[in-house]
Amino acid sequence: MKRFARLYTELDASTSTLLKQRHLVNYFSEANAADAAWAVYFLCGGKPKRILPTALMRQAACELAQVPDWLFEECYQAVGDLAETIAHILPAPESAMDMGLAQFIESQLFPLRKCSAEDALLKVKTLWSSLEALERFLFVKLVGGGFRVGVSKLLVTKALAQLGGLEVSLVAQRLMGYTESVKQVSASDFSALLMAPQANQGEAANNAAPFPFFLAHPLPAVTDALGACNDWLAEWKFDGIRGQVVKRGGEVRIWSRGEELLNDQFPELLGMAAQWPNGSVLDGELLVSRQGRVASFADLQTRLGRKRVDAKLQATHPIIFMAYDLLQCEGEDIRHLPQQERRVRLEQFALNFPDTDGRFELSELLQADSWDALQVLRAQSRSRGVEGLMLKHRQAAYGVGRTKTAGVWWKWKLDPMSIDAVLVYAQRGHGRRASLYTDYTFAVWDKAPEAAEVLAVCAAIENKESLEQSAARGLPRLVTFAKAYSGLTDEDFKRVDQEIKKSSVEKFGPVRSVVPSLVFELGFEGIALSGRHKSGVAVRFPRMLRIRDDKTLAQANTLADLQALLPAEKNGER
């Protein structure tokens, strides 16, 4: 545990990718296989099933530090991180525990799941009494599933490949599915990551995991560097869940790009792929589709949010697998073949194994003889319910991650939708932003206001007038519709933080209401009707594009402006 804590400190303190990789290699070479197995699990994003509720850990910290809950809350709001707050307030340890990471997790953490709340509370306090500050910090992060440090899965992959003298692509394949939540890793799992390739022939063909996903680079604009338009295959970019359907050993598994197993969410696709030959892996998009039209991402989320999908939901939210690449066919790994050749084989695969229920479709190859023609097609994206275009070089192999060494894919997305909105609530950030208000709630007017009405609304908010009182006076309302915390520079955040502190009115836990004074341009990727939001709409991936110093509060957009961005069939026009 102490050695893993030291690794965390080394990784957190460094901004050099090469230095971080060196720290990882050093740790993996020194640690025993069991400890290294768990380190890989957590560093690659693994989150075990919840061991303890955070409320219990908070209670244990208050009792051990002898501080009231209100004081803990004030500290938490100032620090911005639960684990860090606990590590700060706890008294010095009474003893020292010298236990490896694997032994600590398996003998100390996992047994807590079976304890009553009273016994767990006692055991946690006992554990903390023998852990130093950083180990306590990691304890809360590991138990609560919030462990994060500045390394990517790819960096861990490179470190393991360097240690084992292996190809990065081989280690990446072995890591697929490694962090699956139902799995408890062991020393043998780590040893398998570093096994010589000749001692593990056929592993990719026989295991249940997907291939590492090939990722696209964002394309800001077409340039001469892309070459001729005919060198590229163009397809629509769908707004769904990227996934691979894997048929090996008589079993079908549906994997998301995030390495989540989605069999329970999309059971009808299991029957679709059951007819495929063993050793088949297809890459594509999981989409809800009705009458030939792809539905919104919100409809897809309805299925993702269910542990089990019954027949009724299958009927109201019918799923399709939109395939756009064939990676393995009858046990043959064909990722090295050029994109255009894999496409031909994918089309033949679809002819050989059609799905009579319409759950298996091929992405359309768009026909255009010039970049200008493709630009015209791209402009139709929003009306078609897609995000833009995918461009795939005809000679590209299927690579690992976001690389250009095997060829390249580009995602040529539409510019985001945008709306001018008013900042009405703020909350402090987390981590290094804990001292600043950086998380904001935005609103639009329910009707276009006059300048005098804006002044009256601001005065009503400052005087803490109720909504009923304001409505009785016929004043316009600010209707909240989105939260955002990204997109501004550090200097912008400091400026907004000062404005919030000057204009705060009321406190609702960690949230502050403010007298409106700032207008922001918000960008977002999609919009859909929502019964859970006061505005009646929900936006996808909102972020701040800029502060609109050139606009007054009265010039911010209205709810009608927001609703006008809804897809036509959602807006009652079709």
Side-chain angles (χ1 to χ4, degrees), residues 310-466:
D310 57 22
K312 180 180 179 181
L313 192 60
Q314 290 180 36
T316 58
H317 294 69
I319 198 73
I320 64 168
F321 178 64
M322 184 72 74
Y324 44 64
D325 217 327
L326 179 63
L327 311 182
Q328 189 177 29
C329 185
E330 298 187 45
E332 180 189 2
D333 183 351
I334 62 172
R335 291 176 295 164
H336 63 285
L337 296 179
Q339 186 79 48
Q340 59 184 1
E341 188 171 340
R342 297 200 310 277
R343 174 68 194 204
V344 170
R345 295 186 62 165
L346 174 64
E347 292 172 353
Q348 187 60 51
F349 186 95
L351 288 174
N352 292 341
F353 307 103
D355 182 67
T356 56
D357 293 320
R359 296 163 299 192
F360 179 31
E361 297 185 17
L362 295 189
S363 63
E364 177 187 0
L365 288 183
L366 305 179
Q367 302 303 314
D369 56 7
S370 69
W371 290 115
D372 288 341
L374 269 184
Q375 181 74 273
V376 171
L377 286 172
R378 176 175 172 266
Q380 302 171 12
S381 297
R382 197 153 280 143
S383 64
R384 292 174 175 267
V386 296
E387 296 182 310
L389 300 182
M390 289 293 301
L391 304 177
K392 303 174 181 179
H393 200 279
R394 290 179 180 273
Q395 298 304 314
Y398 189 94
V400 174
R402 191 166 280 110
T403 178
K404 295 181 182 178
T405 57
V408 67
W409 287 4
W410 294 104
K411 49 183 178 183
W412 192 18
K413 297 174 67 172
L414 286 179
D415 294 332
M417 301 178 187
S418 66
I419 209 87
D420 291 327
V422 180
L423 190 155
V424 291
Y425 296 104
Q427 184 174 345
R428 292 186 189 274
H430 297 275
R432 68 182 183 88
R433 291 181 174 177
S435 62
L436 297 173
Y437 287 97
T438 60
D439 298 10
Y440 311 137
T441 300
F442 294 93
V444 290
W445 296 103
D446 66 342
K447 61 181 179 179
E450 299 291 337
E453 291 178 316
V454 171
L455 291 175
V457 169
C458 290
I461 292 173
E462 188 169 14
N463 295 327
K464 303 179 184 179
E465 186 176 291
S466 69

Side-chain angles (χ1 to χ4, degrees), residues 74-287:
E74 289 296 322
C75 295
Y76 178 33
Q77 294 307 319
V79 173
D81 184 273
L82 179 67
E84 190 174 354
T85 305
I86 289 174
H88 279 314
I89 70 166
L90 290 177
E94 299 173 356
S95 59
M97 178 184 290
D98 187 14
M99 192 176 290
L101 179 62
Q103 185 183 0
F104 183 80
I105 290 169
E106 294 166 13
S107 68
Q108 302 298 318
L109 296 194
F110 284 168
L112 292 173
R113 290 176 177 156
K114 301 176 182 179
C115 293
S116 65
E118 184 178 355
D119 287 344
L121 193 64
L122 181 61
K123 288 181 181 293
V124 167
K125 289 192 286 187
T126 302
L127 272 174
W128 280 342
S129 296
S130 60
L131 296 176
E132 296 185 0
L134 183 57
E135 294 171 307
R136 293 165 171 173
F137 172 85
L138 290 176
F139 173 96
V140 180
K141 290 294 186 183
L142 298 178
V143 168
F147 177 83
R148 282 185 294 274
V149 67
V151 293
S152 65
K153 183 177 179 180
L154 179 59
L155 193 60
V156 177
T157 304
K158 289 180 177 179
L160 292 170
Q162 179 183 339
L163 179 65
L166 303 169
E167 292 291 331
V168 171
S169 59
L170 176 62
V171 178
Q173 172 61 40
R174 292 173 175 177
L175 277 172
M176 295 302 291
Y178 189 91
T179 58
E180 187 185 348
S181 61
V182 298
K183 182 179 180 181
Q184 182 169 327
V185 296
S186 64
S188 60
D189 291 311
F190 181 75
S191 299
L193 294 175
L194 302 180
M195 192 178 296
Q198 63 268 24
N200 205 10
Q201 289 292 339
E203 58 187 313
N206 296 324
N207 68 26
F211 287 113
F213 283 78
F214 189 29
L215 305 181
H217 296 264
L219 180 67
V222 170
T223 66
D224 292 339
L226 289 177
C229 178
N230 291 334
D231 290 340
W232 299 85
L233 299 179
E235 305 167 53
W236 297 116
K237 186 184 186 310
F238 295 98
D239 185 17
I241 292 290
R242 176 89 177 273
Q244 288 181 25
V245 181
V246 177
K247 169 78 180 293
R248 294 193 185 115
E251 297 290 332
V252 176
R253 289 175 175 82
I254 304 165
W255 293 92
S256 75
R257 183 183 133 186
E259 298 180 41
E260 295 175 286
L261 194 58
L262 301 178
N263 287 26
D264 291 340
Q265 285 75 25
F266 305 111
E268 57 266 59
L269 295 186
L270 302 180
M272 172 203 75
Q275 63 174 323
W276 296 355
N278 280 321
S280 298
V281 181
L282 276 71
D283 187 6
E285 204 85 9
L286 300 163
L287 303 162

Side-chain angles (χ1 to χ4, degrees), residues 3-22:
R3 181 63 186 90
F4 186 65
R6 189 164 85 245
L7 172 65
Y8 179 91
T9 302
E10 293 167 342
L11 296 174
D12 192 50
S14 175
T15 57
S16 166
T17 301
L18 289 177
L19 185 56
K20 287 182 178 182
Q21 185 170 326
R22 190 183 310 155

